[in-house]
Amino acid sequence: MEWEVVIGLETHAQLSTKSKIFSGAATAYGAAPNSQACLVDLGFPGQLPVLNKEAVRMAVKFGLAIGAEIGMRSVFARKNYFYPDLPKGYQISQFELPIVGKGEINVVQEDASTKTVGITRAHLEEDAGKSMHEGFAAHSGIDLNRAGTPLIEIVTEPDMRSAKEAIAYAKKLHGLLIYLEICDGNMQEGSFRCDANVSLRPKGQEEFGTRAEIKNINSFRFMEKAINFEIERQQEILEDGGVIVQETRLYDSDKDETRSMRSKEEANDYRYFPDPDLLPVELEESFVEGVRKTLPELPDVKRQRFVDEFALSDYDATILTDSRPLADYYEAVVAVCKEPKLAANWVMGDFSASLNKDDKDLADSPVNAEMLGGMLIRIKDNTISGKIAKTVFEAMWAGEGDVDTIVEAKGLKQVTDAGAIEALVDEVIANNAGQVEAYKGGKEQLFGFFVGQVMKASKGKANPAMVNELLKKRLA
Amino acid sequence: MHNKSLAELANGLQAREFSSEELTSSLLDRLEEKNSELNAFVTITREEALTQARAADEKIASGDAGPLTGVPIAQKDIFCTKGVKTSCGSKMLDKFISPYDAHVVENCNDAGLVMLGKTNMDEFAMGSSNETSYYGTVKNPWNLDCVPGGSSGGSAAAVAARLVPAATGTDTGGSIRQPASLCGITGIKPTYGRVSRYGMIAFASSLDQGGVFTQNAEDAALMLGVMAGFDTRDSTSLDRPVPNYAATLNDSMAGLKIGLPKEYFSDGLEAGTAAVVQAAIKEYEKLGAEVVEISLPNSALAIPTYYVIAPAECSSNLSRFDGVRYGYRSDNVTDLESLYVNSRSEGFGAEVKRRIMIGTYALSAGYYDAYYIKAQKMRRLISDDFEQAFKKVDVIMGPTAPSPAFKIGAKTDDPVSMYLSDLYTGAVNLAGLPGMSIPAGFDNGLPVGLQLIGNYFDEARLLNVAHQFQQATDFHKKSPSAYA
Amino acid sequence: MSIEDSDIKKIAHLARISIAEEDIPGYATELTNIMAWVEQMNAVDTDHIEPMAHPLHAVQRLRDDVVSEPDLREAAQAIAPETEAGLYLVPKVIE
């Protein structure tokens, strides 16, 4: 039987506020255990939550960015369950009336086609603390620094049909949150976490199959592995005539498998009810409009502008606007060199490849926009050829200085002296009398051979256009 | 000295008739002696009190004192007090030394009031008789075989026995007004949000409200002026100025429209109590007030409604008591589950567990709409009844409790009969209105209270109405002979 | 509505409260009686009534995003049942 994969994602993104969603404790990552857990976060008797305005602002910003309905009246509810990292015995979340309603996100796939992923809702909630299992014999240690950190939980429709689509969406969302400056996107630190709901159904069937929710996916690479593992697991069960159990499964990256989380299974009656310690959040139109004014140019708008302003292909513009840092970098390079197409080729090409190869963030790139733009100017003004530029770029990446320093130090300056090139051309013609004969006899494809020989003789430094021109003249 | 009212003691201190240290020390001596029979206090803070009293005396001497500086009071053990045990009447918090002060406590400290100790109460304020406290039943000073009412029974008994001139309380379904009635003193529960809930250990967050017990309305006006006020740490705190409650105490009763809900004078009300309440109403007529019969059609359903909403909220509010970060942890722990279950089962008493069970049930899948949502809709109707009534009248009056104090143990085996002690008080919390109980007379030697219910934010009028009655009567001056 | 022994066990588990096996039938009867009394509410038609979660018609106030709370670990953990290296200890959590 042929199966169709159905995936929906729930993403928890930490909002980059200074203080927690309901308390004045700091949210900075990496502090000493429990040093950033105040009495509200610890759930002390008599302590009460007061909502952080910035968390509300950020959630609204996200809603506006995806064209969603903004919940002008939203309500916080308690989700009740016992767990050591949940100090009050309930999580303050939103249930019936979330702050962000339906919206959508357009995701460009690998094949350059665009897929629209429906956003069901996004709501504000507080994060839980962390349980440490290592280092204690029979105990777990509880650190509540993270408890109360603001989260926006973004829930999609079951719109994705493969692990690749799910990852493309997750990357797009990740980029968008960073674009909006509402989440730092740091996946190692848990700022952006995805749970995937995966199910299978026979191709052509409308009704959804039973799904499993996979938790603990903390990188894009693991997301692909976890989802594909889960697809295979479910397919095997279904093909053996079995049934899928609706459950929560944990992805174990060490073993590359998902396994059932029994601990989460028993208590699934969360008894949501409106939190009586908090009043309904009612937004004024002016507040929402104020947030709208702070929206940066959104990726899709930026992409169109890149097409219009820089005459880039739709594909190039999409890649360059995929993340805000990359788009900003590209624009900075263009500003230096005024060569949009050349800049696009280099930013998407050698530059991105080098980042990937060294697993570096753009912010940590050894070649800044000034340096890359400077190098492109030197290509444009014929100081170096495109080919030599690759050598120069590698040297810049290795920290050997800017383009002029490297060209000088390595003697890579392009030869544009017509006399010098003429001498080389003459030499090549003299040394290859047979080929000259054949060329003149009509074997015109030999022209490339002569160009190659001249370039080789110049150690790659001769200006290719001049070589062409002089060769044509000599061989005429 | 112990018979003096709060205002009289304040005046005496200002006039240097006695020092706060002398007053504090004398009240402490009496309190320590009498408390052994009344069990009104869980903790007596002698040393801290004397330190506060000396500081108050210095302020009075240097002219930095406020009007109430140096006056001793007691705090209900539901209010967090920094460095002092805050038990909430529960084994769960028997060793809980709060690291911070409640807003009410901060305000009292700022006013220079001297805290003599923390008063006994029903466990987590769940009870109408003070029999659910981990620290044992509080006795009614009028008859030691009777309950003082609850949940703020320790505070009520303490003021009734003149151990302190004022004691704070909290009222979720009647927990200030009902014990005030049963102990023959004045008690006020202001509008929901008037007194900050910060540091007041939550029972049912949408119903809980702090207030105070005193001998009379004038003292209540002074105390409420100290306790009330906006607090940014409580999202439900009212951001509006606190009026000078004492300024309007002497306004005339002429033309005041009093509404008597016919439903408050029907089934369930004992004849002796009814007679006292009717007589009190007559007194108001003599003072020039006009009495109209009104209807609060959903009154009878207030308590069933309350017994869904309050337990639902409490079931969630009390989840934080899990033996992990503070409070009681069972010795019998083998795994995470037994840590939770045994700490909670050993740390909570029977009534608290019962209400957690009711609330958990009412919120659970399949029952949420039938109980919780239904109760919230009833809450709207009950609130609307009051809204309609206050279009016609200035204040609503009736009995505070259906009967005077009952015998200890009389209702412990029948939760519903105990719950009906709040028959006339619970609706006021559902609506969030201010309410008072004032001494109105006696039935068989036990005090009976008159309940006054005001419109939102109308505490000043309630205090004025109460004060005018007390100018014309002297029920509030009576104290149990054993504590005279 | 009659509350069965199995309901009592389920609720007790959700609430993390233990009720001795022999007390369960009595508990079920008591809760059944209380809920039956509560169900008097059903006499009133509330079909078109908006549920009321809160007595005030107020809306949530918003706090400025300012770090105001200092490190309180020492004071908070002074009254904790069991801590080590700044962490609260619980029996091993199995996920």
Side-chain angles (χ1 to χ4, degrees):
Chain A
M1 185 172 314
E2 226 187 314
W3 300 96
E4 184 176 42
V5 177
V6 175
I7 303 168
L9 288 186
E10 290 171 20
T11 304
H12 290 87
Q14 287 183 350
L15 296 173
S16 313
T17 56
K18 294 188 199 74
S19 65
K20 294 194 177 167
I21 183 166
F22 298 118
S23 83
T27 55
Y29 181 84
N34 291 307
S35 63
Q36 288 179 174
C38 73
L39 298 180
V40 173
D41 308 327
L42 295 171
F44 260 59
Q47 291 287 325
L48 298 167
V50 184
L51 182 58
N52 185 335
K53 187 179 193 170
E54 190 64 8
V56 173
R57 202 187 63 76
M58 287 177 169
V60 170
K61 195 172 182 185
F62 172 73
L64 292 173
I66 62 162
E69 301 159 18
I70 302 299
M72 298 305 280
R73 184 172 194 274
S74 64
V75 169
F76 282 96
R78 293 184 182 177
K79 179 182 183 182
N80 294 284
Y81 64 96
F82 284 90
Y83 210 67
D85 63 13
L86 188 71
K88 299 184 293 296
Y90 57 84
Q91 179 193 28
I92 306 178
S93 181
Q94 295 188 310
F95 189 55
E96 283 179 347
L97 293 172
I99 192 156
V100 176
K102 281 192 183 303
E104 55 187 45
I105 292 183
N106 294 320
V107 181
V108 177
Q109 306 293 306
E110 263 186 357
D111 65 1
S113 68
T114 297
K115 168 147 194 134
T116 300
V117 175
I119 301 297
T120 313
R121 58 183 280 160
H123 63 255
L124 281 167
E125 62 183 24
E126 56 178 347
D127 208 344
K130 280 182 190 163
S131 307
M132 317 279 180
H133 310 302
E134 311 300 320
F136 303 100
H139 291 96
S140 293
I142 311 297
D143 176 7
L144 296 171
N145 279 349
R146 200 178 69 177
T149 299
L151 294 177
I152 185 166
E153 180 176 340
I154 301 150
V155 182
T156 73
E157 295 290 313
D159 282 349
M160 288 153 281
R161 295 291 172 267
S162 68
K164 283 211 183 321
E165 284 188 10
I167 289 158
Y169 158 78
K171 284 188 169 168
K172 175 79 188 243
L173 175 65
H174 182 254
L176 177 64
L177 295 170
I178 298 169
Y179 244 91
L180 296 171
E181 296 177 315
I182 60 176
C183 175
D184 67 19
N186 191 322
M187 295 178 84
Q188 276 91 46
E189 292 178 4
S191 301
F192 183 91
R193 321 193 284 268
C194 294
D195 300 337
N197 288 308
V198 179
S199 67
L200 263 54
R201 63 179 169 191
K203 205 151 203 154
Q205 179 182 306
E206 196 154 326
E207 193 188 330
F208 291 126
T210 307
R211 65 191 158 86
E213 182 179 3
I214 314 166
K215 288 199 176 288
N216 200 32
I217 304 174
N218 52 19
S219 81
F220 294 126
R221 197 159 58 89
F222 290 158
M223 182 182 292
E224 178 155 19
K225 289 182 166 210
I227 291 175
N228 284 333
F229 175 88
E230 185 58 24
I231 291 170
E232 270 176 48
R233 187 188 73 87
Q234 291 190 13
Q235 192 169 341
E236 269 174 40
I237 292 173
L238 292 169
E239 282 174 358
D240 288 350
V243 284
I244 305 299
V245 182
Q246 182 162 348
E247 62 179 349
T248 304
R249 299 180 67 86
L250 189 76
Y251 178 67
D252 183 335
S253 57
D254 293 337
K255 295 188 183 143
D256 186 23
E257 61 175 33
T258 66
R259 61 183 148 83
S260 188
M261 274 176 94
R262 269 155 302 152
S263 61
K264 295 267 177 188
E265 282 320 293
E266 354 171 296
N268 49 10
D269 186 348
Y270 292 125
R271 290 157 285 137
Y272 279 101
F273 76 106
D275 190 329
D277 286 332
L278 291 159
L279 298 165
V281 181
E282 287 186 8
L283 301 177
E284 310 246 345
E285 202 64 51
S286 59
F287 178 85
V288 176
E289 287 317 304
V291 177
R292 197 188 297 279
K293 288 202 181 77
T294 69
L295 278 181
E297 183 182 35
L298 294 171
D300 294 347
V301 176
K302 200 184 277 281
R303 188 189 62 212
Q304 193 54 50
R305 179 167 64 80
F306 279 17
V307 169
D308 298 344
E309 192 175 323
F310 301 134
L312 298 182
S313 71
D314 208 45
Y315 179 79
D316 286 1
T318 300
I319 295 201
L320 287 170
T321 52
D322 186 44
S323 87
R324 189 164 170 184
L326 191 69
D328 290 348
Y329 185 88
Y330 168 71
E331 287 207 81
V333 172
V334 174
V336 172
C337 71
K338 322 279 188 232
E339 287 286 314
K341 184 63 195 157
L342 187 62
N345 290 343
W346 275 90
V347 170
M348 291 188 298
D350 290 47
F351 179 74
S352 291
S354 299
L355 285 178
N356 277 342
K357 187 165 65 77
D358 290 3
D359 200 14
K360 270 190 160 62
D361 270 347
L362 199 148
D364 305 326
S365 159
V367 177
N368 63 30
E370 192 74 26
M371 289 162 75
L372 182 57
M375 187 187 87
L376 301 187
I377 289 172
R378 291 291 170 260
I379 296 176
K380 196 170 69 173
D381 70 12
N382 284 331
T383 308
I384 53 173
S385 66
K387 195 165 176 220
I388 290 290
K390 287 185 184 290
T391 312
V392 173
F393 182 81
E394 275 169 30
M396 290 200 300
W397 194 265
E400 294 172 29
D402 66 9
V403 59
D404 293 340
T405 312
I406 291 163
V407 165
E408 181 66 33
K410 296 191 182 253
L412 296 174
K413 200 167 182 334
Q414 182 164 251
V415 178
T416 49
D417 172 3
I421 295 175
E422 244 167 358
L424 291 172
V425 166
D426 288 345
E427 194 184 313
V428 166
I429 286 172
N431 291 343
N432 296 284
Q435 280 85 348
V436 173
E437 191 99 351
Y439 178 82
K440 285 186 172 164
K443 221 174 165 191
E444 287 186 4
Q445 62 267 44
L446 273 172
F447 189 74
F449 164 79
F450 295 115
V451 173
Q453 290 298 308
V454 176
M455 291 307 288
K456 194 175 165 189
S458 77
K459 297 197 175 70
K461 291 188 286 185
N463 178 305
M466 289 176 75
V467 171
N468 271 322
E469 194 190 320
L470 287 166
L471 265 174
K472 275 204 178 118
K473 216 190 272 172
R474 287 288 185 206
L475 292 169
Chain B
M1 245 183 321
H2 62 266
N3 272 316
K4 286 192 187 331
S5 72
L6 182 99
E8 287 164 351
L9 291 173
N11 291 338
L13 286 164
Q14 301 285 324
R16 322 273 169 101
E17 288 165 24
F18 42 83
S19 71
S20 176
E21 189 175 0
E22 285 162 353
L23 172 62
T24 298
S25 170
S26 130
L27 289 186
L28 279 168
D29 291 347
R30 184 166 182 275
L31 193 168
E32 279 166 350
E33 182 207 326
K34 303 289 184 192
N35 191 50
S36 55
E37 57 199 35
L38 290 173
N39 197 27
F41 280 74
V42 170
T43 306
I44 299 171
T45 50
R46 174 175 275 274
E47 289 315 311
E48 294 90 336
L50 289 170
T51 305
Q52 278 188 316
R54 283 181 213 112
D57 284 333
E58 280 175 28
K59 283 203 162 168
I60 293 167
S62 64
D64 297 336
L68 300 183
T69 300
V71 178
I73 59 153
Q75 295 282 359
K76 183 178 182 181
D77 210 19
I78 200 167
F79 290 105
C80 286
T81 42
K82 190 173 181 174
V84 174
K85 178 170 102 172
T86 302
S87 74
C88 221
S90 181
K91 180 181 180 184
M92 184 59 84
L93 292 177
D94 182 46
K95 303 215 160 44
F96 182 72
I97 309 294
S98 173
Y100 77 103
D101 277 330
H103 187 240
V104 161
V105 174
E106 288 174 346
N107 283 351
C108 289
N109 288 342
D110 291 348
L113 293 163
V114 173
M115 184 182 86
L116 302 190
K118 306 287 297 286
T119 59
N120 204 345
M121 55 182 283
D122 277 304
E123 185 179 6
F124 286 102
M126 298 176 202
S128 305
S129 64
N130 228 299
E131 292 166 291
T132 73
S133 170
Y134 174 61
Y135 302 97
T137 305
V138 177
K139 309 286 169 56
N140 190 319
W142 293 91
N143 180 340
L144 297 181
D145 294 330
C146 287
V147 303
S151 67
S152 315
S155 285
V159 173
R162 307 302 191 231
L163 305 184
V164 279
T168 58
T170 58
D171 191 316
T172 306
S175 283
I176 290 175
R177 290 159 290 154
Q178 185 255 14
S181 175
L182 271 49
C183 289
I185 57 171
T186 300
I188 183 164
K189 172 208 107 73
T191 307
Y192 180 86
R194 183 69 288 187
V195 169
S196 169
R197 294 186 299 114
Y198 177 81
M200 192 174 107
I201 299 177
F203 159 17
S205 310
S206 79
L207 301 164
D208 294 344
Q209 179 58 204
V212 70
F213 297 91
T214 51
Q215 292 177 18
N216 60 46
E218 182 190 7
D219 290 358
L222 296 172
M223 278 300 293
L224 189 60
V226 169
M227 294 167 68
F230 178 56
D231 181 7
T232 56
R233 297 166 299 187
D234 173 3
S235 295
T236 62
S237 173
L238 285 173
D239 188 4
R240 49 162 65 210
V242 178
N244 179 355
Y245 296 117
T248 46
L249 288 174
N250 291 314
D251 289 1
S252 162
M253 293 293 95
L256 180 82
K257 277 199 176 159
I258 298 172
L260 299 185
K262 60 179 185 202
E263 293 82 3
Y264 283 22
F265 295 88
S266 60
D267 296 352
L269 180 63
E270 278 191 12
T273 298
V276 169
V277 171
Q278 297 290 5
I281 307 291
K282 286 273 177 298
E283 191 64 43
Y284 274 106
E285 286 182 301
K286 276 194 239 165
L287 293 171
E290 184 190 330
V291 173
V292 250
E293 189 187 80
I294 56 164
S295 175
L296 300 171
N298 294 291
S299 292
L301 295 174
I303 296 306
T305 300
Y306 174 88
Y307 274 94
V308 172
I309 292 173
E313 291 184 13
C314 103
S315 72
S316 175
N317 280 337
L318 269 61
S319 291
R320 65 187 61 200
F321 302 104
D322 59 5
V324 175
R325 297 163 315 284
Y326 50 77
Y328 180 77
R329 176 184 281 203
S330 172
D331 290 331
N332 181 17
V333 171
T334 51
D335 55 13
L336 188 61
E337 190 69 8
S338 61
L339 166 70
Y340 286 149
V341 173
N342 294 340
S343 299
R344 289 167 62 77
S345 301
E346 294 163 24
F348 290 142
E351 182 60 25
V352 169
K353 284 189 253 191
R354 181 183 292 124
R355 297 205 195 180
I356 290 175
M357 290 286 287
I358 295 170
T360 304
Y361 182 66
L363 289 175
S364 66
Y367 301 102
Y368 180 78
D369 288 338
Y371 293 116
Y372 184 74
I373 293 297
K374 178 77 187 178
Q376 285 208 328
K377 290 178 168 188
M378 286 305 305
R379 185 177 190 175
R380 169 88 54 202
L381 291 177
I382 289 161
S383 184
D384 288 349
D385 286 351
F386 281 110
E387 196 180 317
Q388 290 308 314
F390 280 115
K391 286 179 181 161
K392 296 179 209 134
V393 300
D394 301 314
V395 60
I396 294 171
M397 290 190 191
T400 306
S403 69
F406 45 90
K407 289 270 161 55
I408 291 168
K411 297 186 180 182
T412 40
D413 291 335
D414 183 358
V416 169
S417 81
M418 184 72 87
Y419 298 167
L420 287 169
S421 303
D422 292 335
L423 184 58
Y424 307 122
T425 46
V428 174
N429 299 77
L430 291 170
L433 295 165
M436 278 188 89
S437 181
I438 55 173
F442 294 86
D443 178 25
N444 283 325
L446 288 171
V448 171
L450 171 73
Q451 185 175 206
L452 318 177
I453 302 167
N455 208 342
Y456 294 103
F457 322 121
D458 219 1
E459 290 80 11
R461 186 187 325 242
L462 282 187
L463 290 160
N464 160 232
V465 171
H467 182 68
Q468 288 308 303
F469 184 79
Q470 293 177 342
Q471 294 302 103
T473 62
D474 64 355
F475 302 116
H476 63 287
K477 289 187 177 151
K478 302 259 195 277
S479 63
S481 53
Y483 301 91
Chain C
M1 194 172 305
S2 177
I3 298 173
E4 307 296 328
D5 291 6
S6 58
D7 295 323
I8 296 292
K9 287 183 190 171
K10 192 192 105 192
I11 304 161
H13 174 67
L14 284 174
R16 296 300 188 277
I17 280 174
S18 73
I19 293 167
E21 199 67 38
E22 64 268 27
D23 295 337
I24 290 176
Y27 222 104
T29 306
E30 189 176 79
L31 248 59
T32 299
N33 292 341
I34 292 173
M35 296 324 282
W37 170 73
V38 157
E39 284 166 17
Q40 293 177 76
M41 297 189 299
N42 295 342
V44 179
D45 176 8
T46 51
D47 280 358
H48 303 289
I49 308 298
E50 175 82 1
M52 174 171 160
H54 224 277
L56 301 177
H57 305 291
V59 298
Q60 181 61 36
R61 235 177 315 108
L62 302 177
R63 177 178 64 79
D64 285 338
D65 183 25
V66 175
V67 176
S68 57
E69 296 298 317
D71 177 3
L72 296 165
R73 186 170 87 185
E74 207 175 322
Q77 295 197 345
I79 52 169
E82 201 179 359
T83 59
E84 189 179 311
L87 298 163
Y88 291 98
L89 292 193
V90 296
K92 198 148 204 98
V93 178
I94 301 147
E95 284 186 293

